[in-house]
Structures are given as C-alpha cells and as structure tokens.
C-alpha cells in the first residue's frame, strides 16, 4: 500500500484563493505591471534600476500578485495595475479567432487563475477579459479531453507542455478516467469490498449475538 506525503489540495475557485493549495501559492507569485500613485518613502532599494532613497510617484515596476492586491485600494490610490500583455486587446483577438493555437504554458502557466484574479482590480476591460478567459477555456476543453481519451499508453509530452496548469490537471483527470475504464474493461478493476467501518461493526455485533 502506497501513501502520499502530500495530499493535493484543490485551488480556489474564480477570484477566491486557497493558500493550502500549492498552485495558488505559486499563482500569487506571478508578476503584474504596476504604477505607483504616491511616493513610497525609504523603499528605493526595492527598485534595482533606481539609486534614489524613495520610490517616486509614477514609477513603473513589476509586483507579485499578492503584493499588488495588498496595495491596491480605490480610496487611497497607492498603486494602479496594468493588464499583462496576454490579456490585452491584441491577444484577446487571437484567442477569439482560435484559442487552440496559443502555447498557454509559455505565455503564462496560470492563464485562467491570473485572469480571474485580475478582476480584483477595477478596469473597463474586465468584462472583455472575463469573457475571453471563459471562451478560451470552452474552446480548448474539447480538444484537451479528446486528446486525453485517445492517448492510451502514448507519449503526450508534446501536447501537455503547451497547456496551462488548470488544463494539465484536466488532462490528467481525463487520462485517469481512461485508464480506469481500460482496467475495468479487461477485468482488472479492484473488487468492491466492505469498508473497515462495516467490518468493525460486524465484529462487535457477532459476539453480542453469541452472548
């Protein structure tokens, strides 16, 4: 019997994060282009391209997602967040034409997760971003599932390396289902047995009846 040292925890859904999930932790490190809307005193050392003591207003810099969300505030206006290029109009046009031609892992391994998180930041483009992310998932879903169901005992590395993290999980799920079906079809599926709870209950019950 094999045991796992780490039991996978599913990621959060949409804009919600689950920091018990390794994928969500890695997602929070994704960099976003930002612009400071005020002076950040005595933090000049953070911006390596500058030798000033403070970070002046209007400085453009990349921040991890977790920090961008922490500093973003509509009332105080500490930072403004720009859209990463893959979510801008040019790439949205590409996705609307044929989402299957894009190497999502190369462009950003957390395309769907980061796209959902961008909705935290007010932008007039948010509805278009949300629609593009949704339609991209719908457009690529069938091909991913078809590939996972027709690649039994085949090398799928060329296909998988182009997939986003969420899509890779979807592909693995499809292959697990295929492998389980193949084993069942060949009569290799494990037999259904009573659970330990039922077995222990029977052991306690029989001595009572004999008494």
């Amino acid at each position: 019997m094999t045991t796992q040292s780490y039991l996978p925890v599913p990621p959060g859904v949409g804009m919600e994060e689950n920091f018990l999930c390794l994928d969500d932790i890695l997602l929070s490190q994704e960099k976003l282009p930002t612009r400071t809307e005020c002076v950040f005193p005595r933090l000049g050392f953070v911006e390596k391209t500058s030798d000033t003591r403070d970070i002046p207003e209007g400085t453009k810099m990349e921040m991890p997602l977790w920090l961008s969300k922490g500093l973003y505030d509509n009332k105080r206006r500490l930072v403004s967040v720009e859209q990463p290029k893959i979510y801008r109009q040019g790439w949205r046009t590409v996705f609307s034409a044929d989402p299957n031609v894009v190497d999502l892992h190369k462009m950003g391994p957390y395309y769907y997760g980061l796209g959902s998180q961008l909705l935290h930041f007010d932008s007039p483009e948010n509805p278009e971003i949300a629609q593009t992310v949704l339609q991209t998932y719908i457009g690529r879903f069938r091909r991913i599932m078809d590939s996972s169901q027709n690649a039994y005992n085949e090398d799928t590395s060329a296909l998988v390396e182009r997939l986003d993290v969420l899509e890779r999980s979807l592909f693995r799920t499809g292959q697990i289902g295929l492998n389980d079906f193949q084993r069942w079809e060949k009569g290799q599926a494990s037999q259904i047995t009573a659970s330990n709870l039922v077995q222990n209950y029977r052991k306690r019950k029989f001595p009572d009846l004999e008494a």
Side-chain angles (χ1 to χ4, degrees):
M1 179 178 179
T2 59
T3 58
Q4 291 178 289
S5 58
Y6 167 71
L7 297 177
V9 177
V13 179
M15 295 168 63
E16 299 301 324
E17 298 157 303
N18 181 355
F19 283 107
L20 295 177
C21 172
L22 292 180
D23 281 334
D24 276 5
I25 293 173
L26 294 174
L27 167 62
S28 71
Q29 303 298 320
E30 288 288 293
K31 298 294 182 63
L32 293 177
T34 63
R35 181 181 183 274
T36 59
E37 300 293 341
C38 64
V39 176
F40 287 75
R42 297 187 296 277
L43 289 176
F45 66 91
V46 174
E47 181 58 32
K48 297 181 180 180
T49 61
S50 174
D51 56 359
T52 59
R53 180 171 178 268
D54 305 329
I55 298 179
E57 180 180 348
T59 300
K60 293 187 176 182
M61 56 194 304
E62 288 190 335
M63 294 184 183
L65 172 63
W66 64 267
L67 182 58
S68 302
K69 288 174 65 176
L71 293 177
Y72 185 81
D73 189 329
N74 280 329
K75 297 179 179 179
R76 299 176 62 188
R77 299 290 294 176
L78 298 177
V79 297
S80 57
V81 177
E82 300 178 3
Q83 308 297 344
K85 66 178 182 179
I86 196 171
Y87 301 99
R88 295 175 188 169
Q89 180 59 50
W91 276 101
R92 294 204 299 270
T93 302
V94 173
F95 282 116
S96 64
D98 186 359
N100 290 295
V101 302
V102 183
D103 185 340
L104 276 190
H105 196 268
K106 181 179 180 181
M107 297 304 298
Y110 295 96
Y111 172 76
Y112 299 106
L114 186 58
S116 299
Q117 292 295 316
L118 286 176
L119 302 182
H120 279 287
F121 310 107
D122 289 335
S123 168
E125 298 183 46
N126 277 357
E128 287 81 8
I129 292 174
Q131 183 67 14
T132 299
V133 170
L134 175 61
Q135 292 303 319
T136 298
Y137 182 78
I138 294 173
R140 291 167 65 99
F141 177 87
R142 181 172 180 177
R143 182 181 180 185
I144 293 169
M145 292 307 296
D146 283 348
S147 299
S148 70
Q149 298 296 297
N150 292 284
Y152 187 63
N153 289 333
E154 295 181 11
D155 182 12
T156 59
S157 57
L159 170 66
V160 174
E161 69 180 5
R162 295 172 57 86
L163 302 181
D164 160 274
V165 169
L166 176 63
E167 293 176 337
R168 291 185 177 189
S169 175
L170 179 65
F171 184 87
R172 287 194 299 269
T173 300
Q175 287 224 301
I176 290 172
L178 174 63
N179 290 336
D180 289 346
F181 175 75
Q182 295 285 351
R183 292 178 65 248
W184 173 82
E185 197 173 39
K186 296 176 181 178
Q188 298 174 347
S190 58
Q191 295 181 344
I192 298 176
T193 59
S195 69
N196 291 332
L197 180 64
V198 173
Q199 291 176 353
N200 292 334
Y201 175 75
R202 287 175 177 172
K203 290 177 181 178
R204 292 196 303 269
K205 187 176 182 180
F206 290 150
D208 294 341
L209 293 175
E210 292 173 355

